[in-house]
């Protein structure tokens, strides 16, 4: 008779003890294999022991190895690796302590994070803190390469501006104190309120310029900084003539408020040029933070210098030169993709002379910054009045047939020495761009003709200027320019687009007159 098999009940003490020991051994073996996989060189992994092979998928060892972390510190302990995490290049492990009595359960409150990096030094912590305030997230990939030089010069400009503000404020307060001896405190307060009120009025009046802040951004930006220095100089002048405090302070405040409007209006397009993605808010915030930090540093240094009673004239001259130079370099470092009048002139002149359109950086570097928008001395006028472009009806009837198929008319007025590009009704942005291109081509032909006559003329013969062209010669030049534009305009647009210039819209700022 075969021996009878006695079936043990499932909850017997001997079976529970065996299961607990087996589970504990399974956890230790899994963690040991995970640590070996993380530290071993690349190669085929060793086969797991038979005991672990069937249950290895339940444990987090392979997950830890995938993150490049080990679990040797948890061998012979009740801690279990849950998952791994990477935050800004720093790695973390999340662990929990096993419940001794019940397998697969964890003690309450035992879950915690362990950093795999050694603690940073105070200097590194400080640099990380500063970077979070002055550098956009994802730097340098989140901004264009021109961001760094622009912010460097911007910080330097604000440093000089903050330093100068201490001396100008000190001078104004001293001037008010001298005036207070001759007037009541109420009159002094009224003078100060009038000064601030005049500045606000000037800000409102200048804000009507509107679209010009987009058309001639760099030119207006440098103009605003020059006005800021003019206002500071007038504030310092109140120390020499304190009895003229009110008029000088009013004019100075108007200049400074106009400069503030210019800075605020041109700030967003500049930051937009730096942002590579939808991070213009981040770029703007960090840019303003850099400016404020530099301003505070300049203010602190200026307070220390002012205690030694330096010469106001010499100090102002030094700080003003640093401010203007930094402002100029700041504006020059901006790389814009759109074509305003200055950058368009650089692009067309280069194309007509070399057959190549300059790159974005080259075109921006060659742009004339001190070509102020309100100056009328320009060789080309886009969108003028009819009476400015033509002296009489004969001149108009002579050139009009050349432009029957175009939405513009280009001519030259010898009396004013300028090329005029008149726009017809319903002209589109591309028609404006083509009219400006045609005007530059005509100006190029006129200048080339003038140089040819000058070089071929004998000493006895006077040199003829293109300002004195006859009607027949002008018609020949216009006919040549029409042929040139017809053959090269499309090529110019494609070359410009290859270099990254935005050709879909331009900022050429034409006049409002249109031919019906």
């Amino acid at each position: 008779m075969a021996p009878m098999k006695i079936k043990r009940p499932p909850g017997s003490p001997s079976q529970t003890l065996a299961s607990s020991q087996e589970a504990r051994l399974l956890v230790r073996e899994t963690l040991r294999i995970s640590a070996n996989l993380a530290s071993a060189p690349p190669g085929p992994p060793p086969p797991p022991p038979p005991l672990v092979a069937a249950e290895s998928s339940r444990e987090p060892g392979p997950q830890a190895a995938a993150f490049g972390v080990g679990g040797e510190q948890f061998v012979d302990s009740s801690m279990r690796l849950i998952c791994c995490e990477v935050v800004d290049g720093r790695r973390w492990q999340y662990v929990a302590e096993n419940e001794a009595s019940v397998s697969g359960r964890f003690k309450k409150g035992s879950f915690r994070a362990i950093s795999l990096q050694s603690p940073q030094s105070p200097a590194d912590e400080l640099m990380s803190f500063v970077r979070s305030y002055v550098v956009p997230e994802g730097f340098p990939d989140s901004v264009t390469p021109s961001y760094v030089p622009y912010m460097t010069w911007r910080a330097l400009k604000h440093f000089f501006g903050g330093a100068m503000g201490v001396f100008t404020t000190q001078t104004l307060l001293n001037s008010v104190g001298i005036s207070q001896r001759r007037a009541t405190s109420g009159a002094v307060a009224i003078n100060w309120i009038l000064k601030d009120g005049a500045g606000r009025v000037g800000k409102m009046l200048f804000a009507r310029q509107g679209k010009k802040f987009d058309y001639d951004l760099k030119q207006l930006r440098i103009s605003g900084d020059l006005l800021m220095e003019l206002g500071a100089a007038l504030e310092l002048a109140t120390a020499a003539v304190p009895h003229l405090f009110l008029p000088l302070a009013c004019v100075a405040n108007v200049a400074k408020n106009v400069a503030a409007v210019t800075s605020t209006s041109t700030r967003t397009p500049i930051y937009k040029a730096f942002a590579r993605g939808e991070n213009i808010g981040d770029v703007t915030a960090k840019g303003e933070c850099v400016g404020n930090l530099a301003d505070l540093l300049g203010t602190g240094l200026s307070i220390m210098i002012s205690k030694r009673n330096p010469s106001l004239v010499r100090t102002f001259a030094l700080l003003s030169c640093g401010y203007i130079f930094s402002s100029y370099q700041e504006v020059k470092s901006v790389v814009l993709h759109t074509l305003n009048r200055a950058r368009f002139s650089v692009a067309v002149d280069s194309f007509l002379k070399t057959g190549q359109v300059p790159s974005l950086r080259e075109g921006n570097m060659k742009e004339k910054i001190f070509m102020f928008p309100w100056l009328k001395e320009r060789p080309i006028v886009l969108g003028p009045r009819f009476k400015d472009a033509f002296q009489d009806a004969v001149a108009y009837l002579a050139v009009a047939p050349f432009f029957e198929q175009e939405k513009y008319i280009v001519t030259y007025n010898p009396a004013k020495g300028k090329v005029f590009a008149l726009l017809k009704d319903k002209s589109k942005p591309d028609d404006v761009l083509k009219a400006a291109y045609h005007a530059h081509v005509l100006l190029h032909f006129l200048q080339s003709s003038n140089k040819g006559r000058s070089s071929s003329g004998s000493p006895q013969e006077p040199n003829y200027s293109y300002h004195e062209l006859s009607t027949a010669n002008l018609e020949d030049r216009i006919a040549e320019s029409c042929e040139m534009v017809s053959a090269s305009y499309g090529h110019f647009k494609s070359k410009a687009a290859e270099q990254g210039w935005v050709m879909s819209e331009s900022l050429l700022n034409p006049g409002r007159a249109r031919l019906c």
Side-chain angles (χ1 to χ4, degrees), residues 295-480:
D295 191 282
L296 289 174
L297 291 175
T299 301
L301 178 63
S302 185
I303 290 174
M304 296 174 58
I305 296 176
S306 64
K307 293 180 179 180
R308 301 183 179 182
N309 296 322
S311 171
L312 285 179
V313 176
R314 294 179 182 177
T315 305
F316 174 77
L318 179 62
L319 295 176
S320 182
C321 289
Y323 184 90
I324 295 298
F325 179 75
S326 302
S327 175
Y328 176 76
Q329 294 294 336
E330 174 198 23
V331 172
K332 289 290 287 185
S333 64
V334 179
V335 178
L336 300 175
H337 296 236
T338 52
L339 289 168
N340 66 346
R341 286 177 292 183
R343 293 187 291 275
F344 187 80
S345 298
V346 172
V348 176
D349 290 343
S350 175
F351 179 76
L352 294 177
K353 293 176 182 178
T354 66
Q356 299 295 327
V357 176
S359 63
L360 292 174
R361 178 169 293 278
E362 183 183 358
N364 280 268
M365 289 298 296
K366 291 183 178 180
E367 178 184 3
K368 293 182 180 179
I369 303 298
F370 290 102
M371 187 174 63
F372 302 116
W374 53 81
L375 297 180
K376 301 299 183 181
E377 297 301 323
R378 296 172 181 262
I380 294 176
V381 182
L382 187 61
R385 297 285 303 275
F386 183 86
K387 62 180 182 180
D388 296 329
F390 295 100
Q391 302 180 76
D392 49 42
V394 176
Y396 168 71
L397 295 175
V399 301
F402 294 104
F403 302 96
E404 289 182 353
Q405 304 299 323
E406 302 291 348
K407 292 290 185 180
Y408 64 88
I409 295 177
V410 174
T411 187
Y412 171 74
N413 191 336
K416 297 186 177 181
K418 295 181 181 181
V419 175
F420 293 88
L422 297 91
L423 300 174
K424 296 181 181 180
D425 192 22
K426 297 181 181 180
S427 57
K428 299 179 180 179
D430 186 68
D431 298 318
V432 176
L433 195 69
K434 188 175 183 180
Y437 177 79
H438 198 144
H440 279 84
V441 171
L442 178 59
L443 181 64
H444 177 73
F445 276 117
L446 295 174
Q447 291 174 342
S448 300
S449 176
N450 183 57
K451 290 180 181 179
R453 291 181 178 181
S454 300
S455 60
S456 62
S458 61
Q460 292 80 15
E461 296 177 352
N463 292 331
Y464 293 97
S465 171
Y466 62 87
H467 295 275
E468 301 175 355
L469 285 174
S470 63
T471 303
N473 290 334
L474 177 60
E475 291 180 15
D476 293 339
R477 298 293 175 268
I478 292 179
E480 293 175 1

Side-chain angles (χ1 to χ4, degrees), residues 120-134:
Q120 288 185 322
S121 64
D124 293 336
E125 290 284 356
L126 178 62
M127 289 303 299
S128 299
F129 176 77
V130 172
R131 283 174 62 89
S132 66
Y133 275 90
V134 302

Side-chain angles (χ1 to χ4, degrees), residues 26 30 33-34 48-63:
L26 177 63
T30 304
I33 294 171
S34 301
L51 180 63
V52 183
E55 299 292 334
S56 61
S57 60
R58 302 181 189 175
E59 301 300 328
Q63 182 183 5

Side-chain angles (χ1 to χ4, degrees), residues 69-70 73-74 79-81 83-85 90-96 110-117:
V69 296
Q73 65 267 37
F74 306 125
M79 303 301 296
R80 178 178 173 182
L81 178 65
C83 69
C84 301
E85 183 181 48
R90 303 185 66 181
R91 294 182 298 174
W92 298 79
Q93 284 182 339
Y94 291 88
V95 298
S110 65
F111 183 72
R112 67 177 185 269
I114 300 176
S115 175
L116 299 183
Q117 274 78 18

